[in-house]
Amino acid sequence: MTSHPIRHNRPTNDELHPFVYQSLIALTLWLVLSVWVFFDRGGYVGLALAVVTLFFLIAVGIPVVLWLAWRRSCAPSDRTQTSERFDEWVSHSFDTWTGSISGKEAALQILLPIAAVAFGMSIFGLVFLLSAPASS
């Protein structure tokens, strides 16, 4: 039986890097814009697209409002932004409730679902635009 050495004094994170949050917002905007650009055809589609946009606005807005409320009520010493570059943050381990994973793995697990949906919707939209007849 082999044993793996335990690394001590390895830097860990328990907060996401601001770049991860910015990427989440950018991918959400990409998704909403691709839906509006590729699927806005005809009468009542605009209403459905407005509901989809409202859904994603709420999905992004609730965490932003919670973050703003936290910043307003926390101690000034807790408001410090991370001065660490993203490549340094990724190289550290990330603490979760179930254990520790690498920062790269944490960022990928968080960003992969919304990235897959945003890029997939763009591809579906292009196929729909090229194959569906234009409505007048």
Side-chain angles (χ1 to χ4, degrees), residues 1-6:
M1 179 168 14
T2 62
S3 64
H4 299 288
I6 298 173

Side-chain angles (χ1 to χ4, degrees), residues 55-130:
F55 171 73
F56 283 105
L57 180 67
I58 290 170
V60 169
I62 288 174
V64 169
V65 168
L66 289 172
W67 175 72
L68 289 172
W70 170 81
R71 282 198 45 112
R72 189 172 186 191
S73 65
C74 74
S77 61
D78 291 339
R79 293 184 195 169
T80 58
Q81 290 287 341
T82 180
S83 60
E84 180 173 57
R85 293 191 340 245
F86 182 69
D87 59 342
E88 292 173 357
W89 181 88
V90 167
S91 67
H92 299 159
S93 67
F94 185 78
D95 290 334
T96 65
W97 285 356
T98 58
S100 184
I101 58 175
S102 70
K104 180 191 277 185
E105 186 177 352
L108 283 174
Q109 287 183 8
I110 292 167
L111 293 175
L112 189 61
I114 187 68
V117 171
F119 297 137
M121 189 58 69
S122 297
I123 292 169
F124 286 146
L126 282 172
V127 169
F128 179 70
L129 186 69
L130 296 174

Side-chain angles (χ1 to χ4, degrees), residues 4-73:
H4 299 288
I6 298 173
R7 295 184 195 173
H8 295 285
N9 299 329
R10 185 176 176 198
T12 61
N13 294 314
D14 61 351
E15 295 180 359
L16 292 175
H17 194 273
F19 181 72
V20 176
Y21 291 114
Q22 294 165 358
S23 299
L24 282 170
I25 292 171
L27 288 168
T28 302
L29 287 175
W30 178 301
L31 174 62
V32 170
L33 286 175
S34 68
V35 168
W36 274 97
V37 168
F38 294 123
F39 295 101
D40 187 18
R41 295 181 172 197
Y44 294 107
V45 175
L47 179 62
L49 293 177
V51 170
V52 168
T53 303
L54 180 65
F55 171 73
F56 283 105
L57 180 67
I58 290 170
V60 169
I62 288 174
V64 169
V65 168
L66 289 172
W67 175 72
L68 289 172
W70 170 81
R71 282 198 45 112
R72 189 172 186 191
S73 65

